[in-house]
Amino acid sequence: MARANIVVLGGSFAGLTAAFDLKRNLRGSADVTVIARDDRFVFIPSLIWVVPGWRTEQQVTFRLQPALAAWSIRFVKARADRIDPERRTVVTDSGEFTYDYLVIATGPQFDWEAVPGLGPHGGYTQSICSLPHALDAAMAWREFLKEPGPVVLGATQLASCFGAEYEMVFNIDRALREAGVRDRAPVTFITSEPYLGHFGIGGMRGGQKMLEIFFKLLNIEPIVSVATEEVTPTEVRLSGGRTVPYKYAIIIPPFKGVEAIRNSPGLGDARGFVPVNDRYQHPAFDRIYAAGVAVAVKPPEPTPVPSGVPKTGYMSEVMAKVAAHNIVADITGGEPKELPFAQIRALCIMDAGQQGVILLSDHIFRPRKYELLIPGPWSHWAKLAFEKYFMWKMFGGHTNLP
């Protein structure tokens, strides 16, 4: 049997999980190549701690090349520009790469253009969506503390990364208090969610009440079910005519598919996300699989202000494992595996400064047999421990571990 040529686009949670699982299970019967724009893995959940200076760039990253080379996986630092499914070719700024199987794990592109004045590129707000954004936000934070003022945090319409917005608001509140300036920095939280704790998944039992209590105790004003219409240098203009003044703001934008998908007719949906079946296989191109944020997922229910569905690191890992399993099965004649997105477990540690909440449920979407929210300081320590464990696990390629 000829060696299979497998290309993985992306070097984050989904991409690395797929690459390591494929190599582990196929060994010498497949060549695996990872193509990514960044030559580092970034533990994105810890970017909330980069902003106030509790984490450094070195603590939340590692280089991809040595991690992959240890498993005889080729790494190419390049930008994918287009995919030609008929020729089974990925076109990049470093040349063309053919494949027998392709795993799209590119993550998103940030849609700053959705709201005038939004974002760090030509806009007025900060971001925690990437490491460079978080480092810029940290620099702006240090300047802000010299002359503090109102703070606005949250997410726009069509945003989907809701866990990070809650973590950010609670950690910024903690940082303001530790700096002794909380009394000079009123905090407003804006979100497209219909209520606190909706999370883009229809909420979890007890979540709304718990968050409302947290916000009240910390004197954080929430504004829910709202669209962001424009950001000026001094205020955020919301639907319904309300404006919120700010001196420092971090607002999560909508996500869309990366340019390589949008440049490839027939590959993605209207926003550039990749449709998949329950095997995480493209419905029209059976040699193309996708995992992570790149996957198209329909919200479980309509909301008054459109909200996206979160695709966390854990969900991305699960999707990548299913995709890798099915590629291996196709090559070796094994049994395929199906797992509808809605039936992936919800598993998240949400940090809230020196407190936090562990979220657990058997399914992301309802109906669910169980759904648990476990608050307490152990959540904060659990996330710290998980960060170190996960960085070790991914650098060593131990994606067979929990």
Side-chain angles (χ1 to χ4, degrees):
M1 181 176 65
R3 292 166 69 94
N5 178 25
I6 305 173
V7 172
V8 178
L9 288 182
S12 191
F13 287 78
L16 281 193
T17 298
F20 285 131
D21 272 22
L22 287 163
K23 195 64 179 180
R24 178 181 300 105
N25 289 292
L26 292 171
R27 299 188 182 275
S29 60
D31 294 318
V32 180
T33 300
V34 172
I35 301 173
R37 297 182 64 169
D38 195 342
D39 62 358
R40 297 168 297 178
F41 173 84
V42 179
F43 190 69
I44 296 173
S46 289
L47 295 184
I48 58 167
W49 295 328
V50 169
V51 176
W54 300 330
R55 279 292 182 279
T56 65
E57 179 177 358
Q58 292 71 30
Q59 289 173 314
V60 300
T61 64
F62 63 75
R63 294 290 171 184
L64 290 174
Q65 198 280 331
L68 293 168
W71 285 79
S72 299
I73 298 171
R74 180 187 181 193
F75 174 67
V76 178
K77 185 177 186 294
R79 181 193 70 239
D81 292 327
R82 183 170 54 85
I83 296 166
D84 186 337
E86 302 299 333
R87 295 173 53 228
R88 292 183 185 168
T89 301
V90 178
V91 180
T92 79
D93 61 350
S94 293
E96 296 188 356
F97 298 83
T98 58
Y99 63 84
D100 295 316
Y101 295 88
L102 174 67
V103 180
I104 299 172
T106 54
Q109 184 168 324
F110 313 122
D111 192 4
W112 303 115
E113 296 79 14
V115 178
L118 184 70
H121 304 292
Y124 308 105
T125 62
Q126 304 299 324
S127 165
I128 53 167
C129 292
S130 71
L131 178 60
H133 290 168
L135 293 172
D136 288 345
M139 186 182 304
W141 175 255
R142 292 190 292 271
E143 289 301 310
F144 164 80
L145 289 179
K146 297 175 183 178
E147 294 183 26
V151 175
V152 174
L153 303 162
T156 68
Q157 58 277 17
L158 288 176
S160 57
C161 195
F162 293 111
E165 68 168 352
Y166 285 102
E167 290 188 300
M168 197 72 257
V169 73
F170 291 130
N171 277 275
I172 287 294
D173 176 82
R174 172 192 166 191
L176 289 168
R177 294 177 190 277
E178 290 184 355
V181 298
R182 181 63 172 86
D183 59 330
R184 290 183 281 160
V187 178
T188 303
F189 180 82
I190 62 174
T191 181
S192 61
E193 299 163 274
Y195 52 83
L196 293 180
H198 180 274
F199 299 129
I201 61 172
M204 294 182 68
R205 188 180 303 115
Q208 180 180 359
K209 187 65 175 177
M210 181 188 300
L211 284 165
E212 287 174 347
I213 292 171
F214 281 178
F215 274 62
K216 186 174 182 179
L217 287 173
L218 297 173
N219 193 29
I220 299 168
E221 181 186 5
I223 305 176
V224 301
S225 196
V226 69
T228 305
E229 295 187 341
E230 184 184 5
V231 180
T232 75
T234 59
E235 63 185 18
V236 179
R237 296 174 181 172
L238 305 173
S239 56
R242 181 166 181 178
T243 61
V244 183
Y246 76 93
K247 195 166 183 182
Y248 187 89
I250 298 176
I251 302 176
I252 295 172
F255 291 169
K256 59 184 178 182
V258 298
E259 194 170 2
I261 307 302
R262 292 183 283 115
N263 285 345
S264 307
L267 195 57
D269 65 11
R271 289 194 62 78
F273 294 112
V274 182
V276 294
N277 58 24
D278 292 344
R279 298 180 184 184
Y280 296 89
Q281 179 184 41
H282 197 286
F285 307 107
D286 62 0
R287 294 296 185 95
I288 296 179
Y289 292 75
V293 183
V295 168
V297 178
K298 184 179 178 181
E301 59 187 11
T303 53
V305 177
S307 297
V309 176
K311 289 162 262 186
T312 64
Y314 172 75
M315 298 176 198
S316 297
E317 280 189 274
V318 172
M319 288 186 270
K321 285 180 173 295
V322 175
H325 172 94
N326 287 315
I327 292 172
V328 172
D330 196 52
I331 292 171
T332 63
E335 286 295 319
K337 178 180 180 180
E338 295 188 351
L339 179 63
F341 180 87
Q343 293 181 17
I344 297 175
R345 288 191 303 156
L347 175 58
C348 179
I349 304 173
M350 190 175 77
D351 183 61
Q354 293 178 326
Q355 292 284 327
V357 179
I358 298 175
L359 295 83
L360 298 168
S361 72
D362 61 325
H363 293 158
I364 294 173
F365 298 153
R366 292 190 175 98
R368 305 182 184 117
K369 292 181 180 178
Y370 68 85
E371 47 188 3
L372 302 172
L373 295 172
I374 309 170
W378 47 80
S379 303
H380 174 69
W381 295 108
K383 178 159 182 172
L384 289 171
F386 180 72
E387 172 202 68
K388 299 188 183 310
Y389 161 75
F390 194 85
M391 293 282 285
W392 167 83
K393 166 184 155 179
M394 294 304 280
F395 183 77
H398 306 302
T399 52
N400 56 318
L401 298 177

